[in-house]
Amino acid sequence: MIDIDFLNMPDRDIRELQVLFSEEEIDKRTQELADMIDEEFPQDEPLYVISILKGSVLFTCDLIKKMKTPIQLEFIKVSSYGNEFKSTGDIKIIDSKIPNLNDQNVLIVDDICDTGNTGKTLLSIFKDEYHAKKLKFVTLINKRCNRIVDIDPDFYGFEVDDKFLVGYGLDYIGFYRNLPYVGWFPA
Ligand code: IMP
Ligand code: MG
């Protein structure tokens, strides 16, 4: 069933959006992350890149284009949203057909690590249930100030303070994901 509220346009004026990380900065930093990830994983073994829908799609595509490690790409969707601003601790994988990852190298890719709930839950699922061999977690943004569980991405692009960000995959009620930069709306 279609949620009518979801079809409403966001109430913010795009002209008020302040750019935090430009397209060029993101591109440069993504290349650095790709190089670090290539260093971390063996080049003669497949790496399963697990992209978390929908927010990490833009980052994942740009990241893997810059990597040399041979990859297999998988997408998963996780359920958990308290409201449109905060995730809850109750994270579940939905809509996924993950192959047998026993003894495989795995990289989990998300747009942002905020409370840490998503990262922590997925890392334990891929370790304990999927038995990944080497398992790493990369996010474009690290909002460490909001962390409520004990976890930090192995690699991240940029650290930010407590701002709600949009763009380059990050959304507000589903909008703004297609902006090529990351920004925020000052109050
Ligand atoms: P965590 O589970 O709290 O670490 O949050 C991860 C998810 O929360 C991300 O994948 C985003 O979907 C969402 N999120 C957290 N902060 C922001 C933000 O500033 N803008 C948009 N989405 C966010
Ligand atoms: Mg998300």
Side-chain angles (χ1 to χ4, degrees):
M1 207 217 286
I2 296 174
D3 180 349
I4 298 299
D5 276 350
F6 181 77
L7 297 177
N8 288 339
M9 289 293 288
D11 50 1
R12 303 307 301 253
D13 184 339
I14 190 81
R15 287 168 299 189
E16 289 167 14
L17 191 129
Q18 284 193 5
V19 177
L20 262 189
F21 306 113
S22 68
E23 203 173 349
E24 293 73 25
E25 285 174 290
I26 293 171
D27 186 68
K28 184 167 172 281
R29 186 66 185 136
T30 305
Q31 182 65 63
E32 290 169 1
L33 291 173
D35 293 343
M36 287 190 266
I37 293 164
D38 281 339
E39 284 269 307
E40 181 71 38
F41 287 98
Q43 298 299 294
D44 56 351
E45 294 174 16
L47 171 63
Y48 283 81
V49 173
I50 312 287
S51 174
I52 303 170
L53 293 169
K54 303 172 186 171
S56 81
V57 167
L58 278 75
F59 176 46
T60 303
C61 293
D62 287 340
L63 182 71
I64 60 174
K65 279 189 279 182
K66 298 177 190 302
M67 286 169 51
K68 297 192 174 67
T69 316
I71 67 134
Q72 290 278 338
L73 181 58
E74 301 290 338
F75 293 96
I76 61 169
K77 203 163 187 175
V78 297
S79 70
S80 115
Y81 237 35
N83 57 43
E84 62 266 26
F85 294 109
K86 270 269 164 290
S87 73
T88 65
D90 186 24
I91 312 274
K92 288 189 186 65
I93 297 183
I94 50 174
D95 277 7
S96 86
K97 293 190 182 66
I98 304 169
N100 183 3
L101 294 176
N102 229 336
D103 218 23
Q104 300 290 337
N105 301 319
V106 174
L107 177 72
I108 300 172
V109 185
D110 207 357
D111 47 5
I112 184 166
C113 185
D114 183 36
T115 63
N117 282 320
T118 307
K120 181 151 187 151
T121 308
L122 291 180
L123 284 168
S124 58
I125 290 175
F126 280 96
K127 183 167 167 283
D128 300 336
E129 294 176 28
Y130 289 92
H131 309 289
K133 181 163 73 176
K134 184 164 200 165
L135 178 61
K136 297 287 171 187
F137 178 40
V138 60
T139 63
L140 179 72
I141 309 282
N142 192 3
K143 216 193 274 180
R144 207 178 263 148
C145 58
N146 268 3
R147 207 57 44 79
I148 58 173
V149 292
D150 175 26
I151 191 207
D152 208 32
D154 299 289
F155 311 96
Y156 63 88
F158 306 98
E159 178 150 4
V160 294
D161 56 13
D162 189 12
K163 290 183 171 68
F164 190 82
L165 308 179
V166 296
Y168 196 67
L170 293 154
D171 73 302
Y172 169 60
I173 55 168
F175 289 96
Y176 306 116
R177 293 191 199 275
N178 57 319
L179 299 176
Y181 48 81
V182 172
W184 70 296
F185 290 104

